[in-house]
Amino acid sequence: MNLTLKIWRQKNNADKGDFKEYKISDISKDMSFLEMLDVLNENLSEKGEDPVHFDHDCREGICGMCSLYIDGKPHGPQQTTTCQLHMRSFSDGDVITIEPWRAKPFPVMKDLVVDRSAFDRIIQAGGYVSVNTGGVPDANEIPIPKSIADLAMDAAQCIGCGACVAACKNASAMLFTSAKVSQLALLPQGQVERKIRAEKMVAQMDAEGFGACTNTGACEAECPKGISITNIARMNREYFSAVVSSDTL
Amino acid sequence: MILDSKIPEGPLADKWTKHKFNVKLVNPANKRKYDVIVVGTGLAGASAAASLAELGYNVKAFCFQDSPRRAHSIAAQGGINAAKNYQNDGDSVYRLFYDTIKGGDYRAREGNVYRLAEVSVNIIDQCVAQGVPFAREYGGLLANRSFGGAQVSRTFYAKGQTGQQLLLGAYSALSRQVANGKVKLYPRTEMMDVVMIDGKARGIVTRNLITGAIESHSAHAVLLCTGGYGNVFFLSTNAMGSNVTAAWRAHKKGAFFSNPSFTQIHPTCIPVSGDHQSKLTLMSESLRNDGRVWVPATVETAEKLRKGQITANDIKEEDRDYYLERKYPSFGNLVPRDVASRNAKYVCDEGRGVNETGEAVFLDFRDAIKRDGRNVIEAKYGNLFDMYMQITGDNPYEVPMMIYPAVHYTMGGLWVDYNLMTTIPGLYALGEANFSDHGANRLGASALMQGLADGYFVIPYTIGDYLASNSADRIPVDHPEFKKAEKEVSDRLQKLLSIKGEKTVDYFHKKLGKIMWDYCGMARTEEGLTKAKAMIKELKKEFWTNVNVLGSNEELNLSLEKANRVSDFLELGELMVDDALHRNESCGGHFREEYQTPEGEALRDDENFAYVAAWKYLGEGQEEELHKEPLVFENVKLTQRSYK
């Protein structure tokens, strides 16, 4: 395949940034999207030009490090992570536009690399069960219905990539935040801090500058792990019941 | 130097309990006077950082990823072992210990392995308390599956994403301590060197990957939880960023490196598809619970298959060779990884490989789907099947998967004693970064167990023993030793940037990987290893005269990051070859063709090689010095491993 790539290049956070066009040839359909970019970078490096910087690590679709807005969609045309997107999803002669995540709480650091530490701060606000190491009950002491454990697992699969934020026109982090709130609200271990968790995580999400939910479901449609927006409904319920009967009052 | 493993005296089952009582304690009010650096935030690092902060120590945690949640432990799929015996199938701490020692082909320490089995049960309790959503039965209790090298069902799992869920559990505990102000996080920061003052590890020098700033951090102890070095092979199942730099720089400062050639080649990975390939993808070992491994019985049939004249489903039952079931009737498809990998190589070397390159075997679910129905198989392995489909374009519900062995894990690592301390006082190594528990071959679902055992349940006890006997005085980072280390780091980076040669960093990395795979991979010979050593030396020379590293230090610079890591892989590669060359026996994943049984199994030489090789760095261009820690087996009898 021969392709034309329009890639966002930005030297650093202070730079304004712009699209640059690159031609690339002899791309095999079996390559992953990131391997195609590796080829581009190897070509650029051989010519002494600065390679395109993008985040990636496990290349197995689980670490959540890769991002990329490809032809106007987070992680591109398939509902997977960019590292699991393969070139068989494209055709010879295609023009592919590649941008970083666009959201104010995710500032661009260089080219396609953004800073997602806002997500870490949301988890730090309450995305945990406050147990220290040691002194916990036997793992089988509290039976959990399989259906509940499965629902919690569905929510817990979030990889924290930020596609939900990038997909949302309000740059809302509701899907990300609600996935963690749901997981812990569903499980018996999460009950003790259930209310304060919802309050604190929502407050942090707002403080980071993420927008309100649009109710359009773009996040769910683009989530590479298929996290459901029913988690958002659950978080809203958790949050409202928490604020009217807060443990901190 | 006499290597003292500090294994406590007394009966195996009492060692850890006794040791916990005998170690010195730091009283709760004094813990806040001590600072601990944790490098790496995978299972070992995140669990250690969280647990130490909970105890009251001040922790600084470093990772090169943009968030601690992304460390490569996250990619572990199948599960975590624990001797809970919830299945009532005869499991016990002793059996888990025994399976692990045997699986490691008797090249691990009894004391360490027993402790690992002992604390395994606490790990599961801890993770459940954190809200890790393990798979459950309809009655609400935890589910188990089987893994290679064991005849009991003791593996706990969360779909095919066990590593993810365990890491997110540890990350949540870590995040809680960040919020409490007891842990300070340094993401996108790479450790460049250990700083030694008065013979002790007192801090590290780091590079900020965004700004390039070289910075010093002072502490009373340093924990390296930096994972394995499988990426020395270029192609492996490790994440792209996984590297040996932290461990290697510590090695050059005096930490002995043990059994570097002990590499695990995982039998079930998606085969290489072309030169463009950047990494290999693992298909969880759990698939071998239901999948059957086979190749055509004859070379002729395999040739037809490779030419596309027939498909797998055209091959009749009698023309298939389920070679693992045939050769190992009692363990069948669930033999340990080294055995499964080696046998895949044998059948492919015979010309019975099933894909275009001839380097693949089938993993077939046809019979399991027929027996249990598609729904059951989908529930168990759905996400793995989807991943396979995504990468290869084939549908494993209809055609068998194709798999081939790939580099997955490194059993070797920094030498540590029972307290997990390296040969540098105050410098510890946890998880895959150390060498201690898996011998010459790691059993499936044991890496997660070891990472969390070290971080949650070992280091919180053993670190106190060291800190209690050391003063709480802090050393400022303007100390001359810090300044000297910073300058060395900057000079090395400047040197890389100034070469301005003609080849890219990847050119060298790929070349090194090919040498390692061809001569220091699944099968090794004296001749090949000797050749590899010369080739690596030559490549290293070429690297330092002809690599082209672009850009400058003062920016986000992928080319410089990679060059820095590859420069260390080149040095490590040579040591791996030395280690493989000196060990004139076969054991576990280390298979020297000269030493095999008539059936082609690994032939150990317990008389001469029942020891841990620990290598000491002597300086640039010098051969490393071999030290030996004899392995003492008081409880298990060394036998030829048999899975027949």
Side-chain angles (χ1 to χ4, degrees):
Chain A
M1 281 194 281
N2 298 322
L3 303 162
T4 304
L5 307 172
K6 290 169 112 174
I7 303 179
W8 184 260
R9 301 301 307 258
Q10 183 174 336
K11 256 194 102 48
N12 51 43
N13 183 244
D15 184 29
K16 202 161 155 266
D18 204 353
F19 282 105
K20 269 226 167 91
E21 210 172 283
Y22 301 92
K23 301 270 182 210
I24 186 163
S25 47
D26 298 328
I27 295 299
S28 141
K29 282 193 175 312
D30 289 329
M31 278 185 191
S32 73
F33 194 83
L34 295 183
E35 283 167 350
M36 182 273 293
L37 288 181
D38 289 343
V39 172
L40 173 72
N41 277 345
E42 199 65 3
N43 294 347
L44 290 175
S45 300
E46 276 165 12
K47 285 191 279 181
E49 288 178 40
D50 194 21
V52 176
H53 282 61
F54 58 91
D55 270 328
H56 65 108
D57 200 25
C58 78
R59 298 206 177 185
E60 291 181 25
I62 193 76
C63 76
M65 187 109 173
C66 68
S67 51
L68 305 191
Y69 214 65
I70 302 164
D71 287 339
K73 294 185 101 178
H75 296 301
Q78 302 261 339
Q79 207 184 359
T80 58
T81 55
T82 296
C83 67
Q84 296 297 291
L85 176 65
H86 280 68
M87 295 312 291
R88 64 182 83 92
S89 297
F90 298 89
S91 313
D92 187 42
D94 276 0
V95 179
I96 307 174
T97 308
I98 309 170
E99 297 169 77
W101 282 172
R102 303 282 192 195
K104 210 170 155 197
F106 289 164
V108 175
M109 309 306 285
K110 180 170 181 176
D111 297 340
L112 307 167
V113 175
V114 300
D115 177 0
R116 286 169 288 194
S117 54
F119 270 11
D120 286 326
R121 290 188 292 274
I122 292 176
I123 299 295
Q124 286 156 19
Y128 42 76
V129 176
S130 296
V131 288
N132 284 353
T133 303
V136 298
D138 183 88
N140 259 348
E141 187 139 319
I142 311 170
I144 303 174
K146 187 176 184 316
S147 55
I148 299 292
D150 288 348
L151 266 183
M153 179 63 199
D154 289 346
Q157 289 188 70
C158 167
I159 57 173
C161 64
C164 48
V165 173
C168 178
K169 53 187 172 184
N170 282 1
S172 170
M174 290 286 271
L175 193 65
F176 169 79
T177 311
S178 69
K180 188 50 73 180
V181 167
S182 283
Q183 176 201 341
L184 297 177
L186 283 160
L187 295 172
Q189 289 81 8
Q191 296 312 303
V192 173
E193 299 161 287
R194 187 171 171 174
K195 290 178 186 171
I196 191 151
R197 177 181 305 117
E199 286 177 87
K200 281 187 160 179
M201 288 182 75
V202 169
Q204 188 64 35
M205 182 180 84
D206 293 342
E208 295 291 345
F210 293 105
C213 182
T214 62
N215 293 314
T216 57
C219 52
E220 181 187 67
E222 299 296 349
C223 174
K225 293 292 147 182
I227 306 290
S228 160
I229 50 169
T230 53
N231 290 306
I232 296 183
R234 187 178 292 109
M235 179 168 80
N236 283 335
R237 210 157 58 226
E238 291 291 318
Y239 180 74
F240 291 129
S241 87
V243 290
V244 296
S245 64
S246 177
D247 288 336
T248 55
L249 288 178
Chain B
M1 182 176 181
I2 305 286
L3 290 168
D4 180 6
S5 63
K6 302 212 172 88
I7 303 282
E9 295 292 316
L12 190 59
D14 301 341
K15 285 180 193 290
W16 179 231
T17 309
K18 208 170 119 189
H19 190 67
K20 281 192 288 186
F21 180 74
N22 287 336
V23 293
K24 294 190 198 87
L25 299 173
V26 180
N27 92 48
N30 282 342
K31 286 200 178 85
R32 69 175 72 98
K33 296 179 188 158
Y34 289 96
D35 308 327
V36 180
I37 282 171
V38 180
V39 186
T41 58
L43 288 177
S47 59
S51 303
L52 294 175
E54 287 161 8
L55 288 172
Y57 297 110
N58 309 302
V59 177
K60 283 182 170 186
F62 297 81
C63 65
F64 70 77
Q65 298 88 347
D66 74 331
S67 162
R69 66 180 290 153
R70 308 205 198 281
H72 194 53
S73 305
I74 202 146
Q77 298 171 353
I80 177 166
N81 288 329
K84 282 285 198 185
N85 193 30
Y86 282 162
Q87 303 305 322
N88 195 32
D89 59 357
D91 200 9
S92 63
V93 168
Y94 193 86
R95 188 176 294 282
L96 176 53
F97 152 76
Y98 180 79
D99 286 349
T100 307
I101 283 276
K102 177 186 171 195
D105 217 356
Y106 308 97
R107 289 295 174 263
R109 285 186 196 137
E110 282 191 343
N112 283 58
V113 176
Y114 192 88
R115 173 177 66 188
L116 176 66
E118 197 178 338
V119 302
S120 69
V121 296
N122 305 109
I123 296 172
I124 304 303
D125 299 342
Q126 189 64 35
C127 295
V128 166
Q130 289 168 346
V132 170
F134 282 119
R136 285 174 186 272
E137 305 289 357
Y138 282 103
L141 303 182
L142 293 160
N144 288 121
R145 56 166 61 139
S146 311
F147 252 64
Q151 288 174 312
V152 294
S153 223
R154 62 160 77 97
T155 305
F156 295 79
Y157 63 100
K159 283 198 178 166
Q161 290 131 278
T162 316
Q164 180 199 26
Q165 293 311 314
L166 297 179
L167 183 60
L168 292 182
Y171 161 78
S172 75
L174 176 66
S175 298
R176 176 171 159 244
Q177 294 308 315
V178 173
N180 286 348
K182 291 304 289 182
V183 176
K184 187 158 168 40
L185 277 185
Y186 293 86
R188 292 202 197 264
T189 306
E190 183 141 20
M191 173 181 144
M192 307 298 278
D193 215 344
V194 186
V195 179
M196 310 262 299
I197 295 172
D198 299 331
K200 292 172 184 167
R202 289 309 302 266
I204 60 171
V205 174
T206 58
R207 179 170 181 270
N208 179 321
L209 298 181
I210 298 291
T211 65
I214 306 295
E215 286 157 339
S216 285
H217 302 271
S218 166
H220 297 91
V222 176
L223 274 49
L224 300 184
C225 312
T226 49
Y229 47 85
N231 274 347
V232 67
F233 290 86
F234 185 73
L235 283 181
S236 82
T237 65
N238 285 7
M240 302 298 285
S242 299
N243 66 81
V244 77
T245 291
W248 192 254
R249 301 284 164 95
H251 174 55
K252 289 171 87 169
K253 282 281 164 85
F256 289 13
F257 209 107
S258 276
N259 303 336
S261 69
F262 286 1
T263 311
Q264 176 158 85
I265 315 274
H266 196 293
T268 51
C269 300
I270 299 179
V272 175
S273 73
D275 291 337
H276 58 267
Q277 198 127 359
S278 61
K279 79 154 275 164
L280 296 171
T281 304
L282 177 82
M283 286 283 108
S284 168
E285 176 161 319
S286 61
L287 293 168
R288 288 197 273 145
N289 270 299
D290 288 299
R292 298 179 69 193
V293 178
W294 65 277
V295 290
T298 63
V299 177
E300 295 73 55
T301 320
E303 264 166 15
K304 280 190 205 155
L305 197 60
R306 287 198 291 270
K307 286 185 189 141
Q309 293 163 349
I310 52 170
T311 66
N313 292 336
D314 297 333
I315 301 175
K316 287 200 216 79
E317 197 60 24
E318 59 269 26
D319 296 331
R320 300 176 172 205
D321 179 14
Y322 295 93
Y323 57 90
L324 290 178
E325 296 172 26
R326 172 171 58 82
K327 288 175 75 174
Y328 308 98
S330 61
F331 279 71
N333 293 297
L334 282 174
V335 291
R337 292 174 175 178
D338 55 333
V339 179
S341 290
R342 208 144 44 232
N343 279 284
K345 182 180 186 314
Y346 289 156
V347 294
C348 290
D349 288 351
E350 286 165 21
R352 296 196 283 153
V354 298
N355 69 349
E356 283 168 26
T357 65
E359 294 199 328
V361 299
F362 287 128
L363 179 63
D364 201 339
F365 292 87
R366 185 193 64 179
D367 296 345
I369 292 172
K370 216 184 285 170
R371 182 186 69 224
D372 299 340
R374 182 179 158 142
N375 290 347
V376 172
I377 297 302
E378 197 171 338
K380 279 193 198 167
Y381 312 113
N383 63 324
L384 297 170
F385 278 37
D386 290 348
M387 188 154 93
Y388 183 85
M389 226 178 311
Q390 192 69 39
I391 293 171
T392 63
D394 284 342
N395 181 352
Y397 293 105
E398 281 155 20
V399 295
M401 282 186 180
M402 286 197 255
I403 52 162
Y404 199 68
V407 174
H408 178 56
Y409 185 90
T410 48
M411 283 75 70
L414 293 174
W415 184 91
V416 291
D417 62 17
Y418 193 66
N419 294 320
L420 305 181
M421 199 188 318
T422 66
T423 49
I424 297 178
L427 182 74
Y428 293 79
L430 280 66
E432 191 179 350
N434 74 29
F435 86 101
S436 68
D437 294 355
H438 306 297
N441 173 58
R442 178 177 64 75
L443 290 183
S446 285
L448 303 185
M449 172 172 67
Q450 188 220 340
L452 291 180
D454 287 358
Y456 282 136
F457 296 110
V458 179
I459 197 72
Y461 293 92
T462 60
I463 202 170
D465 194 46
Y466 172 76
L467 294 176
S469 26
N470 278 276
S471 124
D473 292 348
R474 292 191 163 95
I475 294 179
V477 291
D478 54 9
H479 186 284
E481 286 299 325
F482 277 105
K483 291 293 143 200
K484 195 175 123 207
E486 284 177 21
K487 183 161 184 310
E488 280 168 10
V489 166
S490 300
D491 288 352
R492 189 182 168 96
L493 294 172
Q494 281 313 319
K495 194 171 163 198
L496 285 169
L497 286 162
S498 67
I499 298 167
K500 297 274 172 267
E502 284 174 348
K503 302 285 189 201
T504 63
V505 178
D506 271 357
Y507 165 85
F508 291 98
H509 196 181
K510 282 184 184 175
K511 261 192 126 164
L512 173 66
K514 176 114 179 52
I515 298 171
M516 298 305 292
W517 180 249
D518 287 348
Y519 301 109
C520 199
M522 264 192 287
R524 303 155 175 189
T525 63
E526 184 179 351
E527 192 196 342
L529 289 164
T530 311
K531 200 166 141 192
K533 187 167 159 90
M535 289 168 86
I536 298 170
K537 270 191 193 300
E538 194 53 40
L539 189 66
K540 193 165 90 182
K541 209 156 87 192
E542 195 192 344
F543 176 86
W544 283 103
T545 48
N546 200 23
V547 72
N548 187 15
V549 185
L550 301 158
S552 71
N553 176 52
E554 288 71 33
E555 59 178 335
L556 179 50
N557 186 341
L558 283 179
S559 172
L560 181 61
E561 280 171 36
K562 268 199 238 168
N564 183 52
R565 293 168 188 166
V566 170
S567 71
D568 291 327
F569 279 137
L570 282 162
E571 296 179 12
L572 166 78
E574 203 184 323
L575 183 64
M576 289 172 71
V577 167
D578 282 339
D579 187 55
L581 198 52
H582 106 281
R583 195 172 272 277
N584 290 319
E585 65 161 352
S586 294
C587 54
H590 168 65
F591 193 76
R592 283 277 301 272
E593 286 183 2
E594 303 96 322
Y595 309 100
Q596 52 180 308
T597 66
E599 297 88 41
E601 304 294 341
L603 184 64
R604 288 196 325 268
D605 176 356
D606 294 329
E607 203 170 312
N608 295 303
F609 290 97
Y611 63 75
V612 175
W615 298 89
K616 182 184 182 185
Y617 182 82
L618 294 179
E620 189 74 43
Q622 295 199 49
E623 297 291 311
E624 299 214 1
E625 185 177 277
L626 174 65
H627 292 246
K628 297 174 184 176
E629 180 206 328
L631 287 166
V632 184
F633 295 93
E634 294 168 338
N635 299 276
V636 300
K637 199 166 146 270
L638 277 68
T639 54
Q640 166 76 36
R641 263 187 331 167
S642 170
Y643 293 97
K644 288 186 191 292

